[in-house]
Amino acid sequence: MTTATTEAAGHAAESAAGMPQLDISTFPNQIFWLAVTLVLIHLILSRIALPRIEAVLAERQGTITGDLAAAEELKQKAVEAEEAYNKALADARAEANRIVAETRADIQAELDEAIARADAEIAARSAESERAIAEIRASAQEAVKEVAVDTAKEIVAAFGVKADARAIAAAVTQRMKG
Amino acid sequence: MAAEADMMEASGPAIDPMHQFTLKPLFGEGPIHWYTPTNATLWMGITVLAIIALLVFGTRRRAIVPSHTQSVAELAYGFVYQMVRDVAGKEGVKYFPYIMTLFIFIIFTNFLGLIPMSFSVTSQIAVTAVLAVLVFVSVTLLGFYLHGVKFLGLFWVSQAPLALRPVLAIIEIISYFVRPVSHSIRLAGNVMAGHAVIEVFASFAASALIAPIAMVGIVAMFGMDVLVAFIQAYVFTILTCVYLKDALHPSH
């Protein structure tokens, strides 16, 4: 590279014919206009173009991030809604179970009470019946005794013996006991 | 170079591939003073207008969903921004507008120079030398401004064995000062060579016999020049970033 430049410098005198780039008389002109151009480009870039593009890129990034965040939020909301739905469902199911249990307990209590009442009534009626039976039995015994006394009196009379009513009744009573 | 020049002269003025690089005053004849508007001035002006068209008018709607022009502007922005951040680091981002200026100027002049009959500003060694020296001087000053004398540590390879360090320091210093030379000649040389070869092919096309080959050659060279126009702008910019990184972090 260095040899090329020295060689080129050697040819600088005849450069107009060979390489126009090495014509030193045009250098100030090129350098001046290059400086003007570079300053212009730098001003355009740093004042207008680059901040604008940077802002656009940042805004786009912001929009994308915002949209992603919104999507995440909506997703979260959907999950929450599903959870709430599930919770409501579970609550309703528990409530239903509770109502069922309660109702069952109520019915059981009513049933128990009714059974108890029925039992009591049955007991009362059977006691009454027993008493009635006992009465009937007592009256029957009385009747049997009377009949037996009468019968015995008649039998004794038939044998021609004048029987003492009292003795006969005592004998019958004695006999029935035995 | 001399032999080549002789050959050109021998074949007469009809084949003069270097003629396209001559500066001419825009208005009338006469000497070129420092202020004279020339064809170089014209194409620098067109460069500025093209840059305004892309980066200012292209982005004027500031659309969230960009138009085609705006995407290209954003692409250029992102490309250079990424490059500066990756190569020069986070501290280098502060100098992004300057590097963007360089990149945009070089790539626009490179591509505008590909228009037939246009004037290629970056083929001028004066232009690329100014750019390279600008980079060299500002990076060196920045290095001394940020790190003071410690910036010289760039030349002192502390990992090397002590005996080798002075030798390495000399090599480092030489390579440091060669930077602007290679930096500028790489760009101007590539652009100039591509344009000159196209013109050589074009002058061959005058002969009916080899015209088809010449046409194919022109198309192929033009395709390569399109690549070169981008690659050289990229190389110039990334080297600037590398030099900037050296100034920001001089320790080896």
Side-chain angles (χ1 to χ4, degrees):
Chain A
M1 282 297 175
T2 41
T3 53
T5 42
T6 48
E7 194 188 348
H11 285 280
E14 56 182 78
S15 58
M19 284 178 69
Q21 289 101 322
L22 298 176
D23 182 0
I24 288 175
S25 66
T26 67
F27 280 18
N29 177 279
Q30 294 194 54
I31 291 169
F32 168 68
W33 287 111
L34 175 66
V36 171
T37 308
L38 286 181
V39 167
L40 263 179
I41 294 174
H42 186 255
L43 284 179
I44 291 164
L45 288 186
S46 60
R47 293 288 156 84
I48 308 171
L50 297 184
R52 186 184 289 177
I53 295 174
E54 192 183 354
V56 168
L57 291 179
E59 195 185 344
R60 182 173 310 148
Q61 193 59 46
T63 308
I64 290 171
T65 317
D67 283 1
L68 283 179
E72 190 62 36
E73 199 177 311
L74 287 176
K75 198 177 162 195
Q76 188 63 34
K77 269 186 188 165
V79 168
E80 271 167 19
E82 201 191 343
E83 271 170 11
Y85 165 77
N86 282 338
K87 193 170 170 296
L89 200 65
D91 282 357
R93 198 164 280 160
E95 180 75 11
N97 283 339
R98 197 181 59 73
I99 290 171
V100 166
E102 222 167 66
T103 312
R104 185 174 289 156
D106 280 359
I107 290 172
Q108 190 65 48
E110 267 173 34
L111 203 61
D112 285 352
E113 197 189 340
I115 288 171
R117 237 189 1 247
D119 279 353
E121 200 169 325
I122 289 167
R125 283 199 187 169
S126 64
E128 201 176 316
S129 304
E130 257 165 41
R131 197 166 43 80
I133 289 168
E135 252 170 44
I136 292 167
R137 182 177 286 156
S139 66
Q141 216 158 9
E142 199 62 35
V144 166
K145 197 178 166 187
E146 240 166 68
V147 170
V149 170
D150 285 352
T151 312
K153 215 184 268 179
E154 287 303 318
I155 290 169
V156 169
F159 282 126
V161 184
K162 187 78 170 141
D164 182 20
R166 267 181 165 226
I168 287 168
V172 170
T173 311
Q174 186 71 32
R175 205 68 175 183
M176 279 176 80
K177 266 182 191 160
Chain B
M1 200 57 84
E4 202 181 322
D6 289 342
M7 204 182 74
M8 299 304 166
E9 273 165 34
S11 35
I15 302 178
D16 182 7
M18 308 308 273
H19 178 70
Q20 56 175 322
F21 303 122
T22 314
L23 247 73
K24 287 185 284 280
L26 273 185
F27 309 106
E29 296 291 315
I32 295 170
H33 299 292
W34 62 267
Y35 52 85
T36 315
T38 62
N39 45 357
T41 316
L42 172 69
W43 284 95
M44 284 185 198
I46 292 174
T47 303
V48 172
L49 291 181
I51 290 169
I52 292 175
L54 177 66
L55 293 181
V56 177
F57 284 101
T59 60
R60 71 186 182 286
R61 276 187 297 164
R62 303 157 199 259
I64 293 285
V65 180
S67 61
H68 291 291
T69 336
Q70 193 185 323
S71 334
V72 173
E74 286 172 10
L75 203 67
Y77 180 98
F79 178 71
V80 179
Y81 192 88
Q82 194 80 20
M83 199 196 305
V84 173
R85 211 186 41 195
D86 289 353
V87 178
K90 275 204 157 56
E91 301 91 333
V93 169
K94 211 163 38 166
Y95 310 99
F96 163 67
Y98 300 98
I99 291 169
M100 184 75 177
T101 304
L102 278 181
F103 176 76
I104 286 291
F105 172 73
I106 294 170
I107 201 158
F108 268 86
T109 47
N110 278 357
F111 276 109
L112 287 171
L114 285 174
I115 298 172
M117 308 306 290
S118 74
F119 179 82
S120 193
V121 177
T122 36
S123 71
Q124 300 293 316
I125 196 77
V127 169
T128 60
V130 167
L131 295 178
V133 167
L134 216 58
V135 170
F136 178 78
V137 169
S138 34
V139 159
T140 309
L141 289 180
L142 184 69
F144 278 112
Y145 173 73
L146 289 179
H147 303 283
V149 189
K150 274 192 203 153
F151 180 60
L152 294 173
L154 183 63
F155 307 116
W156 197 250
V157 189
S158 47
Q159 290 108 315
L162 192 61
L164 272 178
R165 285 184 205 172
V167 183
L168 284 176
I170 292 169
I171 295 172
E172 288 283 334
I173 288 170
I174 292 173
S175 80
Y176 190 80
F177 281 95
V178 168
R179 276 177 180 184
V181 179
S182 62
H183 206 187
S184 59
I185 291 180
R186 184 182 300 114
L187 176 58
N190 272 288
V191 174
M192 183 191 78
H195 285 64
V197 170
I198 286 182
E199 188 137 345
V200 169
F201 273 121
S203 53
F204 285 161
S207 154
L209 205 63
I210 50 172
I213 304 166
M215 298 291 255
V216 172
I218 289 174
V219 171
M221 274 314 294
F222 194 88
M224 211 194 79
D225 274 7
V226 169
L227 277 180
V228 164
F230 173 73
I231 290 169
Q232 287 307 318
Y234 174 70
V235 165
F236 195 97
T237 317
I238 204 158
L239 280 175
T240 306
C241 292
V242 170
Y243 299 161
L244 179 64
K245 191 207 81 182
D246 280 348
L248 295 172
H249 314 284
S251 53
H252 265 279

